[in-house]
Amino acid sequence: MNKRIIKILEISCSGLVGVFLSLGYQHFIAPSPEITVIINGKEVSLTESELQKQLNSTQNQLDIATEQLNEWKTKAENLPEIKYSNLNLNVNGELLNNYENGIININGKNYILFNSLNEIVKDEINLQNDTLSIGNSKEKIINLMEVCPPYDTSDENSYNTDSFKMEGEFYNGFSIKSGYYSESYVLVNLKNNFSNVEFDFGHVDETQNSECTLNIYVDEKIIKTIERKPDAPILHVDIPLNYAGHLKIGISGYNVEYGFGNIKLKY
């Protein structure tokens, strides 16, 4: 009797062990079954774990795309309302030009075509580094003798435009010779165009060795006085004009002659 019971238990146990071994094999040892899916129009066989990774990756891409789409929608909702219309340019009753789409209305405010400004102000217009400049650039430097040489002088014999020497070097510009302690001068019409004038100032070689007084007048006001000896080195002078209309340069001394070389005007 005892032997029969033991035999039954052995058979039963061996069956249970088989079941556990079969389940363990399926879940832990046997390879996962492959699943065929279509990716980019092609059939691809993936295991369950590979398919899950692919799904996770696809979901991440969808999340990123959704976030970008929401950003674009927000930007689109905040875009300005822009309308274009034609511009007819009329200055002092004269029709100068017409521009297609010359007026831009942005959120209710009108903006005029940049090109039309040249015809309105009749002056040079430049747009650089977010700065609109009307008229000549302040950085531009020109020779005074080329654009507005002196138009008058106290005495034609006191004003000389020939090249002259200072400290042994030739200079171009002009020189002024004073009378006997009386002031000789030249007059320049600036036309309110310039911010500064600069020049090299000194005694003209091989002339009367006497000191002088230089007076600079801007719009009839003295803004600079310089006392100079004949043996002093050449002095570079920079005078603010502040877009004045008139310049007067005067020299006084005992029959002296002093030169003004490299005379430059700054816009």
Side-chain angles (χ1 to χ4, degrees), residues 228-262:
R228 208 70 180 160
K229 293 182 178 181
D231 58 352
I234 295 172
L235 179 66
H236 185 77
V237 181
D238 193 336
I239 303 296
L241 298 174
N242 298 318
Y243 302 96
H246 193 263
L247 173 66
K248 176 181 176 181
I249 301 175
I251 287 288
S252 61
Y254 182 74
N255 195 30
V256 295
E257 185 173 359
Y258 280 73
F260 302 81
N262 300 326

Side-chain angles (χ1 to χ4, degrees), residues 169-181:
E169 300 290 337
F170 278 102
Y171 285 82
N172 290 316
F174 61 82
S175 62
I176 300 176
K177 184 177 181 180
S178 75
Y180 294 95
Y181 295 107

Side-chain angles (χ1 to χ4, degrees), residues 6 13 44 84 86 88 92 94 109 132 134 152 178 223 225 234-235 241 248 258 264:
I6 293 171
C13 289
V44 179
Y84 295 88
N86 295 336
N88 294 317
N92 295 326
E94 179 184 359
K109 292 184 178 181
L132 181 66
I134 299 177
D152 200 2
S178 75
I223 65 167
T225 296
I234 295 172
L235 179 66
L241 298 174
K248 176 181 176 181
Y258 280 73
K264 304 296 183 182

Side-chain angles (χ1 to χ4, degrees), residues 40-82:
N40 295 329
K42 296 181 180 180
E43 290 188 357
V44 179
S45 295
L46 300 172
T47 63
E48 184 179 350
S49 60
E50 291 173 339
L51 179 59
Q52 187 61 50
K53 290 180 180 179
Q54 185 68 39
L55 290 173
N56 291 338
S57 176
T58 302
Q59 185 62 50
N60 289 336
Q61 293 176 7
L62 286 173
D63 292 341
I64 294 173
T66 300
E67 185 177 346
Q68 290 179 343
L69 180 60
N70 290 334
E71 290 180 2
W72 293 339
K73 286 175 64 178
T74 301
K75 291 180 180 179
E77 292 172 355
N78 295 326
L79 286 176
E81 182 180 355
I82 301 176

